[in-house]
Amino acid sequence: KQEVTQIPAALSVPEGENLVLNCSFTDSAIYNLQWFRQDPGKGLTSLLLIQSSQREQTSGRLNASLDKSSGRSTLYIAASQPGDSATYLCAVLNQAGTALIFGKGTTLSVSS
Amino acid sequence: DAGVTQSPTHLIKTRGQHVTLRCSPISGHKSVSWYQQVLGQGPQFIFQYYEKEERGRGNFPDRFSARQFPNYSSELNVNALLLGDSALYLCASSVNRGGDTQYFGPGTRLTVL
């Protein structure tokens, strides 16, 4: 059974810091991996999608990497801003392409 | 373009009642998936529908059912509500099933008393 773990559960940083969020999964047979952002009580916003054949994706200040063989992904956020404060969720799509399996998320707080 | 829309936004029901949640996907998207998110947890997969057929089902009891209509909108039905069904119910759509980016709606907050 696929399990997704995110470390740390919570993170507080001052504005301007670069930071890394970690995601690990137990079964390397995945279709793709997606990173989402969730603001309190709201839906999910897709940040980056990495196909299983890719190693990384970049969008603005965000860079996500994927090492399928070791079952790990990282989300790098450069020059953090207070507006980046949210919960970040990592999810892997099963090989059948039917279900996203999520971690519990990392709650990020960026102080000005 | 409008994103994924869900209705209602909030809902309060009592134990034993039935509830219907609705989702309209992004125009042109043929796949709709449903997820349940309880407080402090990541979303859990309930169903995926593609071209009006069920393509995937998560580990939820038969009290949960869904369907997709010819216009690709979808309904999630939950019978015999339990206190533990209180959660944020999220709908996601994608162009096709499989490896496309999934776009989530704002969710329906269900409270069961």
Side-chain angles (χ1 to χ4, degrees):
Chain A
K1 177 189 170 188
Q2 177 75 268
E3 292 183 1
V4 179
T5 303
Q6 292 188 246
I7 294 173
L11 184 62
S12 292
V13 300
E15 183 177 7
E17 272 206 7
N18 301 325
L19 57 102
V20 174
L21 308 181
N22 296 293
C23 171
S24 62
F25 47 95
T26 55
D27 185 351
S28 62
I30 63 171
Y31 202 115
N32 63 36
L33 183 144
Q34 235 176 309
W35 283 92
F36 294 90
R37 168 190 172 134
Q38 186 173 33
D39 293 292
K42 305 293 186 183
L44 278 62
T45 300
S46 177
L47 298 174
L48 290 164
L49 181 149
I50 311 177
Q51 299 293 353
S52 62
S53 58
Q54 296 177 320
R55 298 284 292 183
E56 67 177 327
Q57 283 286 342
T58 299
S59 176
R61 295 183 294 109
L62 305 179
N63 175 276
S65 68
L66 174 63
D67 185 342
K68 210 172 67 159
S69 61
S70 67
R72 293 181 182 180
S73 175
T74 60
L75 179 67
Y76 175 83
I77 302 176
S80 57
Q81 303 170 357
D84 295 332
S85 299
T87 296
Y88 290 80
L89 292 157
C90 165
V92 296
L93 185 66
N94 64 2
Q95 256 201 334
T98 54
L100 283 169
I101 297 103
F102 284 84
K104 291 184 180 181
T106 294
T107 299
L108 173 65
S109 176
V110 181
S111 57
S112 56
Chain B
D1 280 344
V4 178
T5 59
Q6 293 186 243
S7 63
T9 305
H10 296 90
L11 204 50
I12 299 175
K13 292 285 189 178
T14 56
R15 282 177 296 175
Q17 285 190 311
H18 162 270
V19 69
T20 298
L21 310 180
R22 295 177 175 84
C23 171
S24 291
I26 293 171
S27 177
H29 286 198
K30 299 178 181 177
S31 177
V32 170
S33 299
W34 287 94
Y35 291 82
Q36 180 197 65
Q37 186 178 27
V38 299
L39 203 60
Q41 303 291 317
Q44 296 248 314
F45 172 72
I46 311 176
F47 288 110
Q48 185 196 66
Y49 276 78
Y50 176 70
E51 288 285 14
K52 293 151 281 184
E53 290 189 13
E54 181 184 304
R55 304 289 184 162
R57 173 185 283 254
N59 189 25
F60 280 79
D62 291 344
R63 298 184 296 106
F64 288 77
S65 64
R67 55 180 175 167
Q68 186 177 33
F69 299 99
N71 66 354
Y72 301 108
S73 67
S74 177
E75 281 182 355
L76 176 69
N77 295 283
V78 187
N79 292 325
L81 285 167
L82 303 174
L83 296 178
D85 294 331
S86 296
L88 181 67
Y89 287 85
L90 296 162
C91 171
S93 75
S94 59
V95 176
N96 296 298
R97 61 177 296 216
D100 297 327
T101 298
Q102 295 200 30
Y103 296 90
F104 281 76
T108 293
R109 171 71 62 186
L110 172 65
T111 302
V112 182
L113 302 176

